[in-house]
Amino acid sequence: MDQSDAPLLDALVEYRKANRYGFTPPGHRQGRGTDDRVLSVLGREPFHDDLLANGGLDDRLSSNGYLKRAEDLMAEAVDAEVAWFSTCGSSLSVKAAMMAVAGGDGGLLVSRDSHKSIVAGLIFSGVQPRWVTPRWDADRHISHPPSPDDVDEAFERNPDAAGALIVSPSPYGTCADLEEIAAVCHDRGKPLIVDEAWGAHLPFHADLPTWAMDAGADVCVVSVHKMGAGFEQGSVFHLQGDLVDQDRLSACADLLQTTSPSVLMYAAMDGWRRQMVQHGHELLGSAIDLANRLRDEIETIPDLEVLDDELIGVQASHDLDCLQVLMDVSATGTSGYQAADWLREHKQVDVGMADHRRILATMSFADDRSTAERLLDALRGWRDAVDDFDPAPQIRLPAPEEIELETVQLPRDAFFGPVEMVPAEQACGRIAAEQITPYPPGIPAVVPGERLSDAVIDYLRTGVAAGMNLPDPADPSLGQIRVVA
Ligand SMILES: Cc1ncc(COP(=O)(O)O)c(C=O)c1O
């Protein structure tokens, strides 16, 4: 295929040239009806190109195949057999993949460090999670993706599991040994799904961790908006091999997705693929150099430790995406929450994740020396100010053996069955009926169907007091917890 084509972008140009007009949604009619106060902020361009995908950009039968061609170009560019664009984020894509693989019986091996969108998929698909325990660094209080042996043992315990789902890279940039995990799955004739939400850029530079399709995964989903250059919510499913039924995957995506996908999102993904094929190696190469230099420079700031080698090893992660610059601030006696809040308030700089002892700066191919300098300046300013911070409120962190709760009910049953709110002090021993997720990074500490323990409740409540954000429980302050009645 000609990778210099961008069929969706070209179709937009054609649409304009032909002076088409639709008596169809969207009702703003290419911005004609949009309030001037909206246009003065957003501009007319986004409205101009916000069209119906079928019966607008393409005809009602999609006879020009713009979307299909853009997806085929994407598949070819990243060595997948099939690619589909989605405009509902990896949050949707991963659910479709789970349902396609494990919608029947047997459950699914799911790494317990999964994102809340995967747990949401368990809740409404009714799939039984067969948890795979991630590896846990108790000193740094950070989890690492499961090893191939962990996955193998999980299959030993659950031979009927329909497949395995692994998150890699993690939101910290740490990666699983996907090649070996794929081999473990395939030895048993089972498919491997990879939630590669943070890995859209991986196919385009060999110095980045191995791309899931190259590692032999059967399905992987990526968020183009995270490490690529799509609009927010742009996501792609990739498929290869014959362990996952292509038609079923497509049908599961169809069940979940919107009937009004955004052409803007589609077109941005199309253009990003072309950009990566033509310039990705050079752009990502520069980003890698920039990030590596930045890592060294940040290390010169007293009490700020950039995590890299310590994240990799036999008992840790297999690989690391160096564009994810994870910094430990604990030597200052203050928290990552305090650092993130200070950087936002005083330097107008946002970081991607903050927890009780870390902040994460995600570098992109769009960054350059000037943005790296901005981050350095902000961090130096924070270091000068940090001695005046109040000491960080203490979070009571659970020990590794306390962090994983016992699963006693199917997440769906616990979520949809009769529930009641109980004071947090009385919730120990009860079965959770809601997710409770420190966000970011978005890994649920509590999944519906798990038996609550004091250690985890204490962790979350002291976390909230220290600045942790819990977006999903009915009572985000966690004074009360929603449990199975
Ligand atoms: C590991 C992981 N999977 C899935 C998602 C969901 O992706 P999206 O925001 O594209 O819906 C996220 C989002 O942060 C994530 O971190």
Side-chain angles (χ1 to χ4, degrees):
M1 299 180 81
D2 184 351
Q3 288 285 341
S4 65
D5 279 354
L8 287 161
L9 288 168
D10 291 345
L12 277 172
V13 174
E14 282 306 313
Y15 187 97
R16 289 183 198 168
K17 260 201 220 146
N19 190 26
R20 293 189 187 281
Y21 189 85
F23 293 92
T24 69
H28 59 68
R29 297 287 191 275
Q30 297 178 264
R32 285 165 63 98
T34 308
D35 190 294
D36 282 344
R37 289 165 296 182
V38 177
L39 294 179
S40 72
V41 177
L42 297 181
R44 188 172 293 273
E45 288 303 306
F47 291 96
H48 201 247
D49 292 326
D50 183 38
L51 307 169
L52 271 191
N54 298 336
L57 187 70
D58 208 336
D59 63 25
R60 68 187 173 80
L61 298 174
S62 303
S63 352
N64 296 293
Y66 302 132
L67 175 60
K68 173 78 172 67
R69 261 201 302 137
E71 291 173 331
D72 289 350
L73 282 160
M74 176 67 87
E76 185 188 78
V78 302
D79 279 338
E81 283 166 21
V82 188
W84 288 279
F85 289 0
S86 148
T87 61
C88 303
S90 291
S91 296
L92 176 139
S93 310
V94 80
K95 291 180 183 83
M98 292 166 73
M99 285 165 61
V101 168
D105 289 334
L108 184 67
L109 300 190
V110 184
S111 146
R112 186 56 185 80
D113 61 348
S114 290
H115 186 254
K116 70 188 295 259
S117 56
I118 294 176
V119 172
L122 296 171
I123 291 170
F124 66 62
S125 67
V127 167
Q128 173 77 61
R130 306 288 182 198
W131 296 119
V132 187
T133 308
R135 279 163 298 170
W136 190 250
D137 178 337
D139 291 340
R140 295 189 179 272
H141 213 265
I142 191 168
S143 66
H144 293 280
S147 69
D149 285 348
D150 296 330
V151 176
D152 197 38
E153 282 159 22
F155 270 124
E156 285 294 315
R157 278 182 275 114
N158 304 285
D160 295 337
L165 195 171
I166 298 291
V167 178
S168 180
S170 72
Y172 308 108
T174 52
C175 300
D177 184 351
L178 290 180
E179 271 175 55
E180 286 299 317
I181 292 177
V184 166
C185 292
H186 295 163
D187 281 351
R188 295 166 192 265
K190 308 281 171 124
L192 171 64
I193 306 169
V194 179
D195 174 352
E196 208 162 46
W198 287 99
H201 57 317
L202 301 184
F204 301 108
H205 202 290
D207 293 345
L208 292 166
T210 310
W211 157 240
M213 289 284 106
D214 290 345
D218 300 273
V219 185
C220 83
V221 302
V222 303
S223 296
V224 174
H225 62 96
K226 289 193 197 305
M227 299 303 286
F231 284 112
E232 285 288 277
Q233 296 183 16
S235 165
V236 187
F237 304 78
H238 303 276
L239 174 69
Q240 65 185 359
D242 52 15
L243 289 177
V244 179
D245 180 339
Q246 181 179 329
D247 294 335
R248 174 170 294 212
L249 179 56
S250 160
C252 289
D254 185 58
L255 288 182
L256 297 171
Q257 76 195 3
T258 173
T259 50
S260 312
S262 162
V263 160
L264 286 173
M265 280 185 218
Y266 279 163
M269 289 194 273
D270 190 26
W272 174 74
R273 180 267 317 151
R274 177 172 64 185
Q275 182 185 16
M276 281 299 108
V277 170
Q278 294 181 336
H279 308 294
H281 191 265
E282 174 199 340
L283 290 168
L284 287 164
S286 304
I288 293 167
D289 292 344
L290 183 70
N292 284 332
R293 188 170 150 199
L294 179 66
R295 286 169 170 274
D296 292 341
E297 289 165 326
I298 293 174
E299 282 283 359
T300 65
I301 301 176
D303 302 323
L304 193 48
E305 183 188 9
V306 179
L307 301 176
D308 33 44
D309 291 347
E310 47 284 275
L311 297 175
I312 309 293
V314 179
Q315 283 311 315
S317 294
H318 178 70
D319 207 348
L320 176 69
D321 179 357
C322 66
L323 299 183
Q324 300 283 19
V325 183
L326 185 60
M327 295 163 265
D328 191 323
V329 304
S330 56
T332 63
T334 63
S335 70
Y337 303 124
Q338 289 169 293
D341 292 346
W342 189 93
L343 291 168
R344 180 172 166 84
E345 185 181 342
H346 296 277
K347 293 289 181 179
Q348 293 72 49
V349 162
D350 288 316
V351 287
M353 189 222 55
D355 67 13
H356 62 284
R357 61 186 287 175
R358 288 169 282 258
I359 53 174
L360 176 77
T362 299
M363 299 301 287
S364 136
F365 71 89
D367 281 303
D368 60 15
R369 197 58 222 159
S370 70
T371 58
E373 285 294 346
R374 180 157 183 196
L375 178 61
L376 276 170
D377 169 71
L379 291 170
R380 289 185 186 120
W382 159 81
R383 183 61 194 87
D384 290 341
V386 79
D387 294 336
D388 297 331
F389 287 12
D390 291 334
Q394 284 308 299
I395 301 185
R396 286 196 284 281
L397 300 166
E401 60 281 5
E402 292 173 324
I403 190 99
E404 201 160 335
L405 299 172
E406 182 196 5
T407 300
V408 283
Q409 256 190 20
L410 205 59
R412 181 178 56 185
D413 294 347
F415 186 89
F416 288 115
V419 298
E420 62 181 330
M421 296 293 283
V422 294
E425 297 77 11
Q426 293 166 24
C428 178
R430 301 295 299 267
I431 302 171
E434 61 183 355
Q435 289 199 72
I436 309 181
T437 313
Y439 209 98
I443 300 168
V446 175
V447 168
E450 288 182 335
R451 193 183 300 286
L452 290 159
S453 71
D454 273 334
V456 166
I457 296 170
D458 224 27
Y459 158 59
L460 292 166
R461 296 190 77 199
T462 53
V464 170
M468 180 190 281
N469 172 35
L470 300 178
D472 39 17
D475 174 4
S477 72
L478 231 55
Q480 298 202 310
I481 302 181
R482 195 171 160 94
V483 298
V484 171

